[in-house]
Short mmCIF file of all heavy atoms in Angstrom, two decimals:
data_model
loop_
_atom_site.label_atom_id
_atom_site.label_comp_id
_atom_site.label_asym_id
_atom_site.label_seq_id
_atom_site.Cartn_x
_atom_site.Cartn_y
_atom_site.Cartn_z
N ASN A 1451 115.52 -124.32 1.88
CA ASN A 1451 115.55 -125.13 0.60
C ASN A 1451 116.18 -124.28 -0.51
O ASN A 1451 115.65 -123.29 -0.91
CB ASN A 1451 114.24 -125.60 0.21
CG ASN A 1451 114.14 -126.40 -0.99
OD1 ASN A 1451 114.75 -126.09 -2.00
ND2 ASN A 1451 113.41 -127.46 -0.93
N PRO A 1452 117.43 -124.70 -1.00
CA PRO A 1452 118.06 -123.82 -2.05
C PRO A 1452 117.15 -123.70 -3.30
O PRO A 1452 117.37 -122.58 -3.95
CB PRO A 1452 119.37 -124.49 -2.27
CG PRO A 1452 119.35 -125.82 -1.66
CD PRO A 1452 118.13 -125.87 -0.61
N ASP A 1453 116.46 -124.66 -3.65
CA ASP A 1453 115.74 -124.60 -4.91
C ASP A 1453 114.60 -123.53 -4.77
O ASP A 1453 114.26 -122.80 -5.65
CB ASP A 1453 115.09 -125.95 -5.26
CG ASP A 1453 116.15 -126.92 -5.76
OD1 ASP A 1453 117.24 -126.51 -6.20
OD2 ASP A 1453 115.92 -128.16 -5.46
N LEU A 1454 113.96 -123.61 -3.63
CA LEU A 1454 112.88 -122.49 -3.33
C LEU A 1454 113.58 -121.13 -3.23
O LEU A 1454 112.98 -120.14 -3.85
CB LEU A 1454 112.19 -122.88 -2.00
CG LEU A 1454 111.03 -121.83 -1.56
CD1 LEU A 1454 109.99 -121.70 -2.68
CD2 LEU A 1454 110.44 -122.30 -0.32
N GLU A 1455 114.66 -121.05 -2.63
CA GLU A 1455 115.33 -119.75 -2.55
C GLU A 1455 115.69 -119.23 -3.96
O GLU A 1455 115.55 -118.05 -4.24
CB GLU A 1455 116.61 -119.85 -1.75
CG GLU A 1455 117.34 -118.51 -1.54
CD GLU A 1455 118.68 -118.54 -0.68
OE1 GLU A 1455 118.87 -119.67 -0.07
OE2 GLU A 1455 119.38 -117.67 -0.79
N ASN A 1456 116.14 -120.10 -4.81
CA ASN A 1456 116.56 -119.66 -6.15
C ASN A 1456 115.23 -119.27 -6.92
O ASN A 1456 115.30 -118.20 -7.65
CB ASN A 1456 117.21 -120.88 -6.91
CG ASN A 1456 118.52 -121.05 -6.43
OD1 ASN A 1456 119.28 -120.15 -5.90
ND2 ASN A 1456 119.13 -122.27 -6.69
N LEU A 1457 114.13 -119.93 -6.70
CA LEU A 1457 112.91 -119.58 -7.37
C LEU A 1457 112.50 -118.12 -6.96
O LEU A 1457 112.11 -117.32 -7.76
CB LEU A 1457 111.86 -120.60 -7.15
CG LEU A 1457 110.37 -120.22 -7.70
CD1 LEU A 1457 110.48 -120.20 -9.16
CD2 LEU A 1457 109.40 -121.33 -7.11
N LEU A 1458 112.55 -117.94 -5.69
CA LEU A 1458 112.16 -116.65 -5.11
C LEU A 1458 113.08 -115.51 -5.67
O LEU A 1458 112.67 -114.44 -5.83
CB LEU A 1458 112.13 -116.70 -3.65
CG LEU A 1458 111.01 -117.41 -2.98
CD1 LEU A 1458 111.01 -117.25 -1.50
CD2 LEU A 1458 109.68 -116.91 -3.54
N ARG A 1459 114.30 -115.79 -5.69
CA ARG A 1459 115.25 -114.84 -6.27
C ARG A 1459 114.91 -114.39 -7.71
O ARG A 1459 114.96 -113.26 -8.17
CB ARG A 1459 116.73 -115.31 -6.21
CG ARG A 1459 117.18 -115.26 -4.70
CD ARG A 1459 118.72 -115.35 -4.57
NE ARG A 1459 118.97 -115.56 -3.15
CZ ARG A 1459 118.99 -114.64 -2.26
NH1 ARG A 1459 118.62 -113.35 -2.54
NH2 ARG A 1459 119.41 -114.92 -0.98
N LYS A 1460 114.50 -115.41 -8.52
CA LYS A 1460 114.05 -115.18 -9.91
C LYS A 1460 112.79 -114.35 -9.89
O LYS A 1460 112.60 -113.52 -10.71
CB LYS A 1460 113.84 -116.48 -10.64
CG LYS A 1460 115.21 -117.20 -11.03
CD LYS A 1460 114.89 -118.49 -11.73
CE LYS A 1460 116.18 -119.33 -11.89
NZ LYS A 1460 115.99 -120.70 -12.26
N GLN A 1461 111.85 -114.70 -9.06
CA GLN A 1461 110.61 -114.01 -8.91
C GLN A 1461 110.86 -112.51 -8.51
O GLN A 1461 110.28 -111.67 -9.18
CB GLN A 1461 109.65 -114.65 -7.88
CG GLN A 1461 109.07 -115.91 -8.36
CD GLN A 1461 108.10 -116.50 -7.20
OE1 GLN A 1461 108.04 -116.01 -6.10
NE2 GLN A 1461 107.52 -117.70 -7.52
N ASN A 1462 111.72 -112.37 -7.57
CA ASN A 1462 112.05 -111.02 -7.15
C ASN A 1462 112.72 -110.21 -8.32
O ASN A 1462 112.41 -109.05 -8.40
CB ASN A 1462 112.91 -111.07 -5.84
CG ASN A 1462 112.72 -109.71 -5.10
OD1 ASN A 1462 111.67 -109.08 -5.09
ND2 ASN A 1462 113.75 -109.45 -4.32
N GLU A 1463 113.49 -110.88 -9.02
CA GLU A 1463 114.07 -110.14 -10.13
C GLU A 1463 113.01 -109.62 -11.18
O GLU A 1463 113.15 -108.57 -11.60
CB GLU A 1463 115.07 -111.20 -10.84
CG GLU A 1463 115.88 -110.52 -11.95
CD GLU A 1463 116.91 -111.44 -12.49
OE1 GLU A 1463 117.64 -112.10 -11.76
OE2 GLU A 1463 116.96 -111.60 -13.74
N PHE A 1464 112.03 -110.52 -11.37
CA PHE A 1464 110.91 -110.12 -12.25
C PHE A 1464 110.24 -108.81 -11.60
O PHE A 1464 109.91 -107.88 -12.25
CB PHE A 1464 109.88 -111.23 -12.41
CG PHE A 1464 108.60 -110.70 -13.04
CD1 PHE A 1464 108.46 -110.53 -14.33
CD2 PHE A 1464 107.53 -110.51 -12.16
CE1 PHE A 1464 107.26 -109.99 -14.89
CE2 PHE A 1464 106.31 -109.94 -12.69
CZ PHE A 1464 106.17 -109.78 -14.06
N TYR A 1465 109.89 -108.92 -10.33
CA TYR A 1465 109.22 -107.80 -9.64
C TYR A 1465 110.02 -106.52 -9.67
O TYR A 1465 109.49 -105.44 -9.90
CB TYR A 1465 108.90 -108.21 -8.22
CG TYR A 1465 107.86 -109.23 -8.05
CD1 TYR A 1465 108.02 -110.33 -7.31
CD2 TYR A 1465 106.59 -109.16 -8.70
CE1 TYR A 1465 107.04 -111.35 -7.21
CE2 TYR A 1465 105.61 -110.09 -8.63
CZ TYR A 1465 105.82 -111.22 -7.84
OH TYR A 1465 104.89 -112.24 -7.78
N LEU A 1466 111.36 -106.62 -9.49
CA LEU A 1466 112.23 -105.39 -9.44
C LEU A 1466 112.26 -104.80 -10.85
O LEU A 1466 112.22 -103.60 -11.09
CB LEU A 1466 113.60 -105.79 -8.92
CG LEU A 1466 113.58 -106.11 -7.40
CD1 LEU A 1466 115.02 -106.68 -7.07
CD2 LEU A 1466 113.10 -105.02 -6.57
N LYS A 1467 112.37 -105.63 -11.88
CA LYS A 1467 112.42 -105.22 -13.31
C LYS A 1467 111.09 -104.54 -13.62
O LYS A 1467 111.03 -103.50 -14.25
CB LYS A 1467 112.77 -106.26 -14.33
CG LYS A 1467 114.14 -106.72 -14.27
CD LYS A 1467 114.39 -107.87 -15.33
CE LYS A 1467 115.84 -108.29 -15.26
NZ LYS A 1467 116.15 -109.36 -16.17
N THR A 1468 109.99 -105.12 -13.19
CA THR A 1468 108.69 -104.60 -13.56
C THR A 1468 108.43 -103.25 -12.71
O THR A 1468 107.79 -102.38 -13.30
CB THR A 1468 107.57 -105.68 -13.15
OG1 THR A 1468 107.86 -106.86 -13.90
CG2 THR A 1468 106.22 -105.18 -13.47
N THR A 1469 108.92 -103.11 -11.58
CA THR A 1469 108.83 -101.86 -10.81
C THR A 1469 109.45 -100.75 -11.67
O THR A 1469 108.82 -99.72 -11.88
CB THR A 1469 109.64 -101.99 -9.49
OG1 THR A 1469 108.88 -102.97 -8.60
CG2 THR A 1469 109.63 -100.66 -8.75
N LYS A 1470 110.64 -101.03 -12.24
CA LYS A 1470 111.28 -100.02 -13.08
C LYS A 1470 110.49 -99.67 -14.38
O LYS A 1470 110.44 -98.56 -14.78
CB LYS A 1470 112.73 -100.49 -13.52
CG LYS A 1470 113.64 -100.70 -12.29
CD LYS A 1470 114.03 -99.36 -11.61
CE LYS A 1470 114.96 -99.53 -10.47
NZ LYS A 1470 114.94 -98.42 -9.57
N LYS A 1471 109.92 -100.77 -15.03
CA LYS A 1471 109.16 -100.49 -16.16
C LYS A 1471 107.96 -99.70 -15.79
O LYS A 1471 107.50 -98.72 -16.63
CB LYS A 1471 108.73 -101.78 -16.70
CG LYS A 1471 109.76 -102.68 -17.39
CD LYS A 1471 109.30 -104.05 -17.88
CE LYS A 1471 110.40 -104.82 -18.38
NZ LYS A 1471 109.91 -106.23 -18.84
N ILE A 1472 107.27 -99.91 -14.72
CA ILE A 1472 106.05 -99.11 -14.34
C ILE A 1472 106.37 -97.70 -14.09
O ILE A 1472 105.76 -96.77 -14.39
CB ILE A 1472 105.36 -99.86 -13.15
CG1 ILE A 1472 104.70 -101.06 -13.45
CG2 ILE A 1472 104.27 -98.81 -12.59
CD1 ILE A 1472 104.19 -101.93 -12.34
N GLU A 1473 107.64 -97.51 -13.41
CA GLU A 1473 108.10 -96.16 -13.21
C GLU A 1473 108.32 -95.42 -14.48
O GLU A 1473 107.95 -94.21 -14.63
CB GLU A 1473 109.34 -96.19 -12.27
CG GLU A 1473 109.13 -96.58 -10.88
CD GLU A 1473 110.41 -96.85 -10.12
OE1 GLU A 1473 111.41 -96.92 -10.65
OE2 GLU A 1473 110.16 -97.05 -8.81
N LYS A 1474 108.90 -96.12 -15.44
CA LYS A 1474 109.16 -95.50 -16.75
C LYS A 1474 107.89 -95.22 -17.52
O LYS A 1474 107.74 -94.04 -17.99
CB LYS A 1474 110.06 -96.44 -17.61
CG LYS A 1474 110.50 -95.84 -18.85
CD LYS A 1474 111.46 -96.80 -19.58
CE LYS A 1474 111.84 -96.02 -20.93
NZ LYS A 1474 113.04 -96.39 -21.48
N ILE A 1475 106.92 -96.03 -17.48
CA ILE A 1475 105.61 -95.81 -18.16
C ILE A 1475 105.00 -94.63 -17.41
O ILE A 1475 104.40 -93.78 -18.07
CB ILE A 1475 104.74 -97.02 -18.08
CG1 ILE A 1475 105.33 -98.15 -19.03
CG2 ILE A 1475 103.33 -96.63 -18.62
CD1 ILE A 1475 104.64 -99.53 -18.81
N SER A 1476 104.99 -94.57 -16.16
CA SER A 1476 104.38 -93.57 -15.39
C SER A 1476 104.90 -92.26 -15.69
O SER A 1476 104.20 -91.14 -15.77
CB SER A 1476 104.51 -93.83 -13.85
OG SER A 1476 103.85 -94.94 -13.50
N GLU A 1477 106.32 -92.11 -15.91
CA GLU A 1477 106.97 -90.82 -16.38
C GLU A 1477 106.36 -90.30 -17.69
O GLU A 1477 106.21 -89.16 -17.82
CB GLU A 1477 108.47 -91.10 -16.52
CG GLU A 1477 109.21 -91.29 -15.27
CD GLU A 1477 110.71 -91.57 -15.55
OE1 GLU A 1477 111.20 -91.35 -16.67
OE2 GLU A 1477 111.33 -91.95 -14.65
N GLU A 1478 105.86 -91.18 -18.51
CA GLU A 1478 105.24 -90.72 -19.77
C GLU A 1478 104.03 -89.91 -19.48
O GLU A 1478 103.68 -89.06 -20.25
CB GLU A 1478 104.97 -91.99 -20.65
CG GLU A 1478 106.15 -92.65 -21.14
CD GLU A 1478 105.82 -93.93 -21.87
OE1 GLU A 1478 104.63 -94.08 -22.36
OE2 GLU A 1478 106.69 -94.83 -21.98
N PHE A 1479 103.36 -90.24 -18.33
CA PHE A 1479 102.09 -89.59 -17.96
C PHE A 1479 102.42 -88.52 -16.95
O PHE A 1479 101.48 -87.92 -16.27
CB PHE A 1479 101.13 -90.60 -17.49
CG PHE A 1479 100.67 -91.55 -18.47
CD1 PHE A 1479 101.30 -92.85 -18.61
CD2 PHE A 1479 99.61 -91.19 -19.24
CE1 PHE A 1479 100.77 -93.69 -19.57
CE2 PHE A 1479 99.23 -92.10 -20.34
CZ PHE A 1479 99.83 -93.32 -20.43
N LYS A 1480 103.65 -88.19 -16.70
CA LYS A 1480 104.10 -87.29 -15.58
C LYS A 1480 103.36 -87.64 -14.26
O LYS A 1480 102.82 -86.81 -13.65
CB LYS A 1480 103.81 -85.81 -16.06
CG LYS A 1480 104.54 -85.39 -17.28
CD LYS A 1480 104.23 -84.00 -17.73
CE LYS A 1480 104.95 -83.51 -18.90
NZ LYS A 1480 105.69 -84.44 -19.70
N HIS A 1481 103.48 -88.88 -14.03
CA HIS A 1481 102.86 -89.45 -12.74
C HIS A 1481 103.90 -90.26 -12.00
O HIS A 1481 104.67 -91.07 -12.50
CB HIS A 1481 101.69 -90.38 -13.19
CG HIS A 1481 101.04 -91.12 -12.21
ND1 HIS A 1481 100.13 -90.49 -11.32
CD2 HIS A 1481 101.05 -92.42 -11.75
CE1 HIS A 1481 99.76 -91.45 -10.38
NE2 HIS A 1481 100.20 -92.59 -10.67
N LYS A 1482 103.79 -90.02 -10.66
CA LYS A 1482 104.56 -90.91 -9.79
C LYS A 1482 103.74 -91.97 -9.22
O LYS A 1482 102.73 -91.62 -8.45
CB LYS A 1482 105.23 -89.98 -8.70
CG LYS A 1482 106.08 -90.80 -7.76
CD LYS A 1482 106.79 -89.82 -6.85
CE LYS A 1482 107.67 -90.45 -5.78
NZ LYS A 1482 108.36 -91.66 -6.08
N PRO A 1483 103.98 -93.16 -9.36
CA PRO A 1483 103.03 -94.25 -8.93
C PRO A 1483 103.07 -94.30 -7.40
O PRO A 1483 104.04 -94.15 -6.73
CB PRO A 1483 103.63 -95.56 -9.55
CG PRO A 1483 104.99 -95.19 -9.92
CD PRO A 1483 105.09 -93.76 -10.17
N ALA A 1484 101.87 -94.46 -6.89
CA ALA A 1484 101.60 -94.65 -5.49
C ALA A 1484 102.18 -95.96 -4.92
O ALA A 1484 102.02 -97.01 -5.47
CB ALA A 1484 100.17 -94.57 -5.05
N ASP A 1485 103.01 -95.88 -3.86
CA ASP A 1485 103.61 -97.07 -3.32
C ASP A 1485 102.64 -97.69 -2.17
O ASP A 1485 101.70 -97.09 -1.72
CB ASP A 1485 104.94 -96.65 -2.66
CG ASP A 1485 105.89 -97.90 -2.53
OD1 ASP A 1485 105.49 -99.05 -2.85
OD2 ASP A 1485 107.07 -97.58 -2.19
N ILE A 1486 103.01 -98.91 -1.73
CA ILE A 1486 102.27 -99.51 -0.72
C ILE A 1486 102.39 -98.64 0.61
O ILE A 1486 103.47 -98.07 0.84
CB ILE A 1486 102.71 -100.94 -0.40
CG1 ILE A 1486 104.22 -101.01 -0.20
CG2 ILE A 1486 102.21 -101.90 -1.48
CD1 ILE A 1486 104.70 -102.42 0.05
N ASN A 1487 101.34 -98.51 1.39
CA ASN A 1487 101.39 -97.64 2.59
C ASN A 1487 102.21 -98.31 3.68
O ASN A 1487 102.35 -99.58 3.77
CB ASN A 1487 100.07 -97.23 2.94
CG ASN A 1487 99.16 -98.35 3.65
OD1 ASN A 1487 99.68 -98.95 4.50
ND2 ASN A 1487 97.96 -98.29 3.26
N ILE A 1488 102.77 -97.48 4.51
CA ILE A 1488 103.62 -98.07 5.64
C ILE A 1488 102.92 -98.84 6.58
O ILE A 1488 103.54 -99.85 7.07
CB ILE A 1488 104.31 -96.78 6.33
CG1 ILE A 1488 105.47 -97.22 7.15
CG2 ILE A 1488 103.33 -95.97 7.06
CD1 ILE A 1488 106.72 -97.54 6.37
N PHE A 1489 101.73 -98.65 6.75
CA PHE A 1489 100.92 -99.51 7.75
C PHE A 1489 100.81 -100.94 7.18
O PHE A 1489 101.06 -101.95 7.86
CB PHE A 1489 99.54 -98.97 7.99
CG PHE A 1489 98.68 -99.78 8.92
CD1 PHE A 1489 98.93 -99.92 10.24
CD2 PHE A 1489 97.66 -100.56 8.32
CE1 PHE A 1489 98.16 -100.65 11.07
CE2 PHE A 1489 96.89 -101.43 9.14
CZ PHE A 1489 97.09 -101.44 10.52
N LEU A 1490 100.43 -101.08 5.95
CA LEU A 1490 100.38 -102.41 5.28
C LEU A 1490 101.68 -103.10 5.24
O LEU A 1490 101.80 -104.24 5.51
CB LEU A 1490 99.84 -102.24 3.84
CG LEU A 1490 99.76 -103.47 3.08
CD1 LEU A 1490 98.76 -104.47 3.68
CD2 LEU A 1490 99.28 -103.18 1.56
N LYS A 1491 102.81 -102.25 5.06
CA LYS A 1491 104.13 -102.80 5.03
C LYS A 1491 104.42 -103.45 6.37
O LYS A 1491 104.97 -104.52 6.57
CB LYS A 1491 105.12 -101.74 4.56
CG LYS A 1491 106.16 -102.12 3.67
CD LYS A 1491 107.05 -100.92 3.38
CE LYS A 1491 107.93 -101.28 2.31
NZ LYS A 1491 108.77 -100.19 1.87
N GLY A 1492 104.19 -102.59 7.45
CA GLY A 1492 104.47 -103.03 8.75
C GLY A 1492 103.68 -104.24 9.17
O GLY A 1492 104.19 -105.20 9.71
N THR A 1493 102.36 -104.31 8.90
CA THR A 1493 101.55 -105.41 9.37
C THR A 1493 101.97 -106.70 8.54
O THR A 1493 102.04 -107.74 9.06
CB THR A 1493 100.03 -105.15 9.21
OG1 THR A 1493 99.80 -104.73 7.89
CG2 THR A 1493 99.59 -103.98 10.23
N SER A 1494 102.26 -106.52 7.33
CA SER A 1494 102.70 -107.68 6.48
C SER A 1494 103.98 -108.25 6.95
O SER A 1494 104.10 -109.52 7.14
CB SER A 1494 102.71 -107.23 5.01
OG SER A 1494 101.58 -106.87 4.56
N PHE A 1495 104.96 -107.39 7.26
CA PHE A 1495 106.22 -107.75 7.80
C PHE A 1495 106.01 -108.54 9.08
O PHE A 1495 106.58 -109.59 9.27
CB PHE A 1495 107.17 -106.60 8.01
CG PHE A 1495 108.45 -106.96 8.50
CD1 PHE A 1495 109.46 -107.46 7.69
CD2 PHE A 1495 108.73 -106.71 9.90
CE1 PHE A 1495 110.69 -107.79 8.12
CE2 PHE A 1495 110.01 -107.03 10.31
CZ PHE A 1495 110.94 -107.55 9.50
N ALA A 1496 105.14 -108.01 9.93
CA ALA A 1496 105.01 -108.59 11.33
C ALA A 1496 104.39 -110.03 11.09
O ALA A 1496 104.75 -110.94 11.79
CB ALA A 1496 104.08 -107.77 12.21
N ALA A 1497 103.31 -110.05 10.24
CA ALA A 1497 102.62 -111.33 10.00
C ALA A 1497 103.58 -112.42 9.44
O ALA A 1497 103.52 -113.55 9.82
CB ALA A 1497 101.48 -111.09 9.10
#
């Protein structure tokens, strides 16, 4: 469904921009944010 695909692309744009914002805020605290673990990523992808 092209409308659903467009909606998801907009959502993903928000998530990617927010990722960058969190990285920038984290830098102010000299902190590298913890990412999702590889196991969770793999099981989610498979599911």
Side-chain angles (χ1 to χ4, degrees):
N1451 182 313
D1453 293 331
L1454 180 56
E1455 182 180 347
N1456 288 336
L1457 175 62
L1458 287 185
R1459 291 196 187 283
K1460 288 178 189 170
Q1461 288 179 356
N1462 204 28
E1463 189 176 309
F1464 166 81
Y1465 290 128
L1466 294 172
K1467 285 180 182 177
T1468 303
T1469 297
K1470 296 292 182 203
K1471 289 177 184 176
I1472 293 168
E1473 289 169 349
K1474 186 173 178 155
I1475 293 168
S1476 294
E1477 284 176 14
E1478 295 171 22
F1479 295 95
K1480 297 180 180 15
H1481 175 73
K1482 181 170 174 37
D1485 205 351
I1486 50 179
N1487 72 47
I1488 194 77
F1489 178 74
L1490 178 60
K1491 217 175 191 178
T1493 56
S1494 296
F1495 179 78

